[in-house]
Amino acid sequence: MKMNAWVVMVLFAMAVLAGTGCAAAANAPLKVAVAGNTTIEDGVYYTINGAMPTVKSTRYTAPIVLNRTLNIKYMIIKNGTVKYGIINHALTGNITNRTYPKLIFNQTPIIELENGTYYQIGNGNMTLYNGTIALTGNTILKYFKNSTNTTMMGIIKNTPAKLVNKVRISKVKVKKWYKKWYKRGGKWRYTWKYRWTYKQVKQAYQELQATA
């Protein structure tokens, strides 16, 4: 059976459109479900105020200068995998000409120090910085003033974590109304009174819990 030229052109156009749709789908940003039905693209979200990192938190776009004591909670989305963690940074000592590390996020947190700075991971050897340092797993990094003065300038601790659901039970002060009876004119009457009492309230929440 022969097809006319118009039918052939229509079939060809449909094939081209289908191929274009497949290519667009293949190149679309990967999205993953986080905290319910919300979907987000690959990236890093973090907070510095102790709050849980969510899709509404600050999205990482540039290195973070650790120029003060900070508690950073982060969420890394990469290739469909969600990683959580907590980074604590504390400045130590009263030091002049201090240098500050930079925190970089990739698939794992990375620390960049000034050239000439010394650092120590855990109780390991003092090492002269010569390249970025990945904070894999539970890591404690101490960094020291450059030159021969090895006075500690700060401590960085990375703690991998997981998201856990918890319930908090708290007491709330409330008014409890009741009928107050009294006799008037030979008849019993009542009025509404209240007294303060407490009731328990359950609140569901999420928090980051350190992993082993």
Side-chain angles (χ1 to χ4, degrees):
M1 182 175 67
K2 295 183 179 180
M3 294 186 291
N4 59 39
W6 184 84
V7 174
V8 172
M9 290 178 64
V10 170
L11 292 174
F12 177 76
M14 292 175 63
V16 170
L17 290 172
T20 303
C22 292
N27 295 325
L30 180 65
K31 294 186 177 183
V32 60
V34 175
N37 297 323
T38 304
T39 58
I40 57 174
E41 298 179 7
D42 283 3
V44 179
Y45 298 81
Y46 69 94
T47 65
I48 60 173
N49 61 357
M52 283 289 302
T54 68
V55 294
K56 295 182 179 180
S57 302
T58 303
R59 184 166 184 170
Y60 172 80
T61 57
I64 303 168
V65 180
L66 302 179
N67 56 3
R68 55 194 171 101
T69 295
L70 285 171
N71 178 275
I72 301 173
K73 294 183 178 180
Y74 62 86
M75 175 176 66
I76 301 175
I77 312 298
K78 186 70 174 180
N79 297 331
T81 300
V82 184
K83 294 181 180 178
Y84 293 95
I86 304 170
I87 290 179
N88 297 105
H89 173 251
L91 296 174
T92 60
N94 184 17
I95 301 169
T96 58
N97 300 321
R98 184 189 292 274
T99 60
Y100 300 106
K102 293 180 181 178
L103 172 61
I104 301 169
F105 280 108
N106 197 340
Q107 295 186 40
T108 188
I110 295 171
I111 295 297
E112 179 182 284
L113 299 172
E114 290 289 332
N115 290 331
T117 304
Y118 289 84
Y119 72 94
Q120 179 186 39
I121 295 180
N123 295 319
N125 296 326
M126 194 89 69
T127 305
L128 178 62
Y129 174 77
N130 61 2
T132 55
I133 308 162
L135 301 180
T136 56
N138 287 287
T139 306
I140 296 178
L141 183 150
K142 304 172 185 177
Y143 58 99
F144 301 81
K145 189 175 176 67
N146 53 3
S147 76
T148 57
N149 185 342
T150 55
T151 301
M152 190 188 303
M153 291 192 291
I155 303 174
I156 302 169
K157 181 180 180 182
N158 178 60
T159 306
K162 62 181 178 180
L163 189 67
V164 294
N165 296 314
K166 290 193 172 185
V167 175
R168 179 189 297 113
I169 299 177
S170 56
K171 287 185 177 181
V172 178
K173 191 176 182 181
V174 295
K175 291 180 179 179
K176 186 174 181 179
W177 293 88
Y178 64 97
K179 292 180 180 178
K180 175 71 174 179
W181 290 90
Y182 64 97
K183 196 171 184 180
R184 182 177 179 183
K187 293 183 179 181
W188 284 98
R189 305 173 186 273
Y190 69 86
T191 185
W192 286 101
K193 297 285 186 178
Y194 71 85
R195 61 175 178 268
W196 288 107
T197 184
Y198 294 88
K199 71 175 182 178
Q200 288 188 337
V201 176
K202 291 184 178 180
Q203 297 173 306
Y205 68 101
Q206 293 180 315
E207 71 174 24
L208 293 185
Q209 180 177 295
T211 57

